[in-house]
Amino acid sequence: MGVTTVTDVRHTVSADGPTVSREPNPLSPLSILFRSDLGGHEQVLLCQDRESGLKAVIAIHSTALGPALGGTRFHAYGSEENPEDAAVLDALNLARGMSYKNALAGLDHGGGKAVILGDPGEIKTESLLLAYGRFVASLGGRYVTACDVGTYVSDMDVVARECPWTTGRSPENGGAGDSSVLTAFGVFQGMRASAQASWGAPTLRGRRVGIAGVGKVGHHLVDHLLEDGAEVVVTDVRGESVDRVLARHPRVRAVPDTAALIRADLDVYAPCALGGALDDDTVPALTAKVVCGAANNQLAHPGVEKDLADRGILYAPDYVVNAGGVIQVADELHGFDFDRAKAKAAKIFDTTLAIFDRAQTDGIPPAAAADRLAELRMAEGRARA
């Protein structure tokens, strides 16, 4: 297997401007790593195993608080002009988000993420997952992996055969099982905190919640909301996912697509699919007064958080409310106890309220308040190192 490692990635822009006058390709990996505001990652591993067809990126953003922890995304980037560059950008974004998520979740872990390039339905094989496990193992515990979009508990069982730093395994193999259970529970706690801040009570009873994406996490979130007395509207690009929810809960309503959902009469909008859900087209069209969902990296670009605030829309930072899953897999490293992990995930309610309070006190959007608190904890970790 071949390995290319880029370590200690930092900004290379001086006070006088870029050291190279020629404007680089904004999606060039070197541009992303060395010249963009995404810089600062400690290590990036580009992985290729020709025999199995594996092509992957492992990004470690920070180990200030402990070994980097984050899932493995298996995704096809074929629609992009430069799919490999798009995968690097995705891994960098996700790894950075994991540093912030783990910090505010109170975990002794830094942030990392991996991306395997390709359609999992077409190229995922045992030999590919084993090759991937060997690459993770080559990092010697600096990165602990888990499930993400396109990977499942059964996949982690295979990866773990080559790599001891694997979580999200099945209970039969010493793991905690499906982390989407506590991810959804944590999002629900964040939504309750949002309801407290917006309407004065920590309940969604009588509120209409629109969920974009009812896959691994979203369908569990539907259960929590209905039990709390909410009205639920859903959509998903996969028709079978919607059909599963409607078969289980006939009173749930479905709409054709996300565009129809964001224009529906909603109290809460919950993006629970891929990132970039909140952009220049989505925010002006939203009817909801609260945005709180499970998707990572919901803000398409800097400034969207201010656009939401200017419209009077309360945004619960994604990496705060969706931390239940990483809390679950982190607990697995210490001998998994579901009740202990759930109790920790329940604290997402208090953390979210604290962020809203900090935002109001400082006169900044909640996303900025969350970043400040996470950066403070990471700085304290670096100072102790």
Side-chain angles (χ1 to χ4, degrees):
M1 60 184 184
V3 181
T4 302
T5 303
V6 184
T7 60
D8 197 24
V9 179
R10 303 181 188 278
H11 293 286
T12 58
V13 179
S14 69
D16 296 324
T19 57
V20 179
S21 59
R22 181 173 59 84
E23 183 67 21
N25 178 353
L27 279 182
S28 162
L30 288 180
S31 169
I32 294 165
L33 292 171
F34 290 107
R35 293 172 56 84
S36 79
D37 60 0
L38 295 174
H41 293 70
E42 294 179 10
Q43 186 173 7
V44 178
L45 195 70
L46 306 182
C47 315
Q48 182 168 246
D49 180 73
R50 294 186 185 278
E51 186 173 340
S52 67
L54 172 73
K55 293 182 179 179
V57 181
I58 302 172
I60 297 175
H61 177 260
S62 172
T63 56
L65 295 173
L69 172 62
T72 298
R73 177 163 295 188
F74 205 138
H75 183 63
Y77 294 85
S79 61
E80 303 286 348
E81 183 178 351
N82 298 299
E84 293 83 5
D85 291 353
V88 171
L89 178 60
D90 205 18
L92 293 176
N93 272 326
L94 293 166
R96 189 169 186 240
M98 288 306 303
S99 288
Y100 284 69
K101 178 187 295 189
N102 293 339
L104 283 186
L107 300 177
D108 294 326
H109 285 282
K113 204 79 172 188
V115 169
I116 299 176
L117 287 78
D119 184 339
E122 295 181 1
I123 72 166
K124 186 193 293 183
T125 62
E126 180 181 73
S127 63
L128 183 147
L129 292 171
L130 290 172
Y132 169 68
R134 291 192 290 273
F135 279 108
V136 177
S138 74
L139 291 167
R142 281 175 53 79
Y143 169 61
V144 181
T145 196
C147 301
D148 195 73
V149 175
T151 59
Y152 301 87
V153 170
S154 58
D155 299 325
M156 293 302 107
D157 283 345
V158 176
V159 172
R161 285 158 52 188
E162 291 284 355
C163 177
W165 298 284
T166 305
T167 60
R169 296 163 295 153
S170 67
E172 295 78 12
N173 285 281
D178 183 8
S179 64
S180 63
V181 173
L182 285 190
T183 301
F185 176 73
V187 172
F188 179 60
Q189 299 310 311
M191 207 175 284
R192 290 179 59 242
S194 300
Q196 173 72 53
S198 298
W199 301 300
T203 177
L204 282 304
R205 180 169 298 279
R207 303 292 175 184
R208 183 177 292 120
V209 181
I211 303 177
V214 283
K216 287 197 291 185
V217 175
H219 83 278
H220 289 301
L221 182 58
V222 171
D223 295 341
H224 289 299
L225 288 167
L226 291 176
E227 185 177 352
D228 194 39
E231 178 183 344
V232 178
V233 186
V234 303
T235 193
D236 198 296
V237 295
R238 299 173 66 89
E240 59 268 30
S241 296
V242 173
D243 292 342
R244 175 178 62 174
V245 170
L246 297 183
R248 180 178 172 86
H249 301 294
R251 59 194 175 109
V252 170
R253 183 164 65 90
V255 295
D257 51 36
T258 301
L261 185 66
I262 63 174
R263 288 173 172 79
D265 184 17
L266 302 176
D267 295 298
V268 180
Y269 173 55
C272 294
L274 294 177
L278 302 171
D279 57 25
D280 295 335
D281 295 324
T282 302
V283 173
L286 276 172
T287 62
K289 293 302 180 185
V290 169
V291 174
C292 179
N296 288 306
N297 298 323
Q298 293 172 25
L299 304 177
H301 59 78
V304 175
E305 69 280 6
K306 185 177 184 303
D307 295 338
L308 288 164
D310 288 346
R311 288 206 59 215
I313 298 172
L314 181 65
Y315 170 63
D318 49 47
Y319 68 82
V320 176
V321 303
N322 68 14
V326 75
I327 289 170
Q328 177 169 324
V329 297
D331 193 86
E332 183 177 325
L333 295 170
H334 307 286
F336 182 62
D337 183 292
F338 182 82
D339 291 336
R340 179 177 62 199
K342 186 175 182 180
K344 193 159 192 174
K347 295 178 182 178
I348 290 173
F349 175 85
D350 296 324
T351 302
T352 306
L353 278 182
I355 287 166
F356 292 153
D357 289 343
R358 175 70 178 264
Q360 187 171 24
T361 299
D362 293 354
I364 56 176
D371 287 352
R372 288 184 182 180
L373 291 172
E375 288 161 2
L376 177 61
R377 183 162 188 254
M378 285 187 279
E380 291 171 347
R382 284 189 291 270
R384 291 193 300 268

